[in-house]
Amino acid sequence: MTAFLQYLGQSTRISFTKLGRASYFLLQILAGVLSLLARPRLLLKQLYSVGVLSFLIITISGLFVGMVLSLQGYYTLSDFGAEETLGVMVAASLVRELGPVVSGLLFAGRAGSALTAEIGLMKATEQLSGMEMMAVDPIKRIVTPRFVAGLISMPLLAALFSAVGIIGGQMIGCGLLGVDDGAFWSQMQAGIDFRDDILNGVIKSLVFGFVSSWIALFEGYDAIPTSEGVSRATTRTVVNSAFSILGLDFILTALMFGEH
Amino acid sequence: MDNHVTPPNSLVSVRNLSFSRGTTKIFDNISLDFERGKITAIMGPSGTGKTTLLKLIGGQLYPDQGTISVDGENVHQLRRAELYNLRKRLGMLFQSGALLTDMNVYDNVAFPLREHTHLPESMIRTLVLMKLQAVGLRGARNLMPNELSGGMARRIALARAIALDPMMILYDEPFTGQDPISMGILVHLIKSLNTTLGLTSIIVSHDVHDTSAIADYIYVLSGGKIVGQGTPQEIQQSESEWVQQFMTGAADGPVHFHYPAKDYIDDLLSSGKRY
């Protein structure tokens, strides 16, 4: 019993210490944002590797998710003779939930894990230490550009995911299942609200981008500088990002759509 | 407490330094001086904290006790910006080279110049080529770090370390894992750079032969203490058992061959648990 309590206390203490380190790390990242403005090239390079390189996986996943949504939605809606509303159903699911959440999870898996491994290996091969000895702050030079790139990329990727998903849904719904094209689009136009649906979706994806970039960069920076340490850190990035995204999604949904 | 007088020509002086990691005492109240314009070597068996000492001098670690001053400035009392200003005047050569792997050789050497100066690209080019010429690798400027051999990576890192014309270079195990030719090149480079650029060099190494050949002064560390110091000749003739064991490479002596363990016979005869 004592051993269990001791273990519980110790692991709580370790978690809180880590949370403290992560918060301090975040402050250091944010302190570097202003000086990043003076060097847009650093940001552009990261936007490419964090954002542009995630394009393909986001587009393909979005397309398939949209197509499946349309299929499943059609079978349920047609029972009630409401297949005309397929457009609004597909669009609302994507813009409100699936767009931000699934692209957030994919982002954590594709870009987040790469960020952790990159930073962790830079630490293991003394590149970060070397930079410090060259009087270059590795957080400003390496971490902040990646963080800002993640923050900018995530809403754009989520928007891309939703847009491609809607096209996929339309292809299946109208092309294959015979839903009227005009009804599909006009129901969607009438049913989707800019502030309630689209803006809330964008806010969600910004939050997910913030959290998963923070987790990925911190895990890399805090990794034990060995191959095993980096591998564990990469796993933690994906697992912790997924939990955070799903948990935050529930909280955000409750706050945003709770009163309806 | 401080019974060491700092020599007038000292660039780095370490006073009453103590440092521990966890419960292990790495340094126990040691004092060292590194003279300007000289090559000073810190030698000792692996795990005596030689690299830690370099990190303490560079302000990357904080001592438990004692002070380290570089060029008259107490490293651990400097503000961050002042510490960074001091580091611009120091070069450090890491054991792995620590080249930035996403840039080619040219950009690696140009990195400190681009970060800390506002020189036009044409002038940066001239400076980079001069530094690369000094280490004999001007022709390798377009290679990526993963295309370099260990010795070449270290020479590129050396070119980068001298990019901002520092007053001092810290070498962390520069000779480890080098073939005889690369070793010869590095030994020659360290000596000639020190003379031609008027540098001060601190070499951390356990390579007795090559380090003795170029060092002006040697400190031998073991178990957190200085067990011997002097010019290479004095060290060779030292009567200290520690120093003799280290210099001759004897398997047993004051530094035991065996890691501390319980009695061998008892250990063999005890049954049951795996460990």
Side-chain angles (χ1 to χ4, degrees), chain B residues 99 137 140 143 147-157 178 182:
Chain B
L99 294 176
L137 290 174
L143 297 181
E147 297 171 300
L148 302 171
S149 70
M152 283 163 86
R154 251 172 249 187
R155 280 153 71 190
I156 301 294
Q178 299 295 313
S182 312

Side-chain angles (χ1 to χ4, degrees), chain A residues 39 45 122 125-127 129-138 141 146, chain B residues 58 60 80 84 87-88 94 96 98-103 111 115-116 160:
Chain A
R39 302 182 68 180
K45 198 175 163 202
M122 285 182 93
T125 52
E126 295 181 311
Q127 292 182 53
S129 222
M131 229 176 240
E132 267 180 26
M133 283 306 294
M134 283 188 279
V136 176
D137 182 351
R141 179 66 173 66
R146 284 163 173 77
Chain B
Q60 286 190 305
R80 197 177 161 78
Y84 271 31
R87 283 184 185 162
K88 285 180 201 166
F94 284 83
S96 59
L99 294 176
L100 301 168
T101 42
D102 59 341
M103 298 178 185
F111 182 81
E115 290 291 322
H116 295 306
R160 185 177 67 175

Side-chain angles (χ1 to χ4, degrees), chain B residues 26-28 30-34 40-46 48-50 53 203-208 211-212 215 217-249 254-255:
Chain B
I26 309 261
F27 299 119
D28 186 8
I30 60 168
S31 297
L32 308 94
D33 280 290
F34 301 92
T40 308
I42 303 163
M43 303 178 86
S46 312
T48 37
K50 303 187 294 294
L53 184 60
I203 304 179
V204 152
S205 176
H206 49 233
D207 187 280
V208 172
T211 311
S212 306
Y217 201 82
I218 296 177
Y219 286 99
V220 182
L221 298 183
S222 186
K225 296 272 188 195
I226 299 171
V227 292
Q229 57 176 297
T231 60
Q233 292 74 21
E234 286 166 0
I235 290 283
Q236 288 290 355
Q237 289 151 12
S238 166
E239 286 172 9
S240 155
E241 282 181 51
W242 281 97
V243 177
Q244 278 312 318
Q245 188 192 357
F246 184 71
M247 299 306 274
T248 57
V255 177

Side-chain angles (χ1 to χ4, degrees), chain A residues 36 39-52 145 149:
Chain A
L36 180 66
R39 302 182 68 180
R41 271 170 159 262
L42 286 180
L43 179 61
L44 281 181
K45 198 175 163 202
Q46 293 314 317
L47 275 173
Y48 176 77
S49 67
V50 172
V52 177

Side-chain angles (χ1 to χ4, degrees), chain A residues 20-54:
Chain A
R21 281 204 307 276
S23 309
Y24 181 62
F25 180 71
L26 181 65
L27 286 181
Q28 286 178 298
I29 294 179
L30 297 178
V33 171
L34 269 185
S35 59
L36 180 66
L37 295 178
R39 302 182 68 180
R41 271 170 159 262
L42 286 180
L43 179 61
L44 281 181
K45 198 175 163 202
Q46 293 314 317
L47 275 173
Y48 176 77
S49 67
V50 172
V52 177
L53 292 183
S54 307

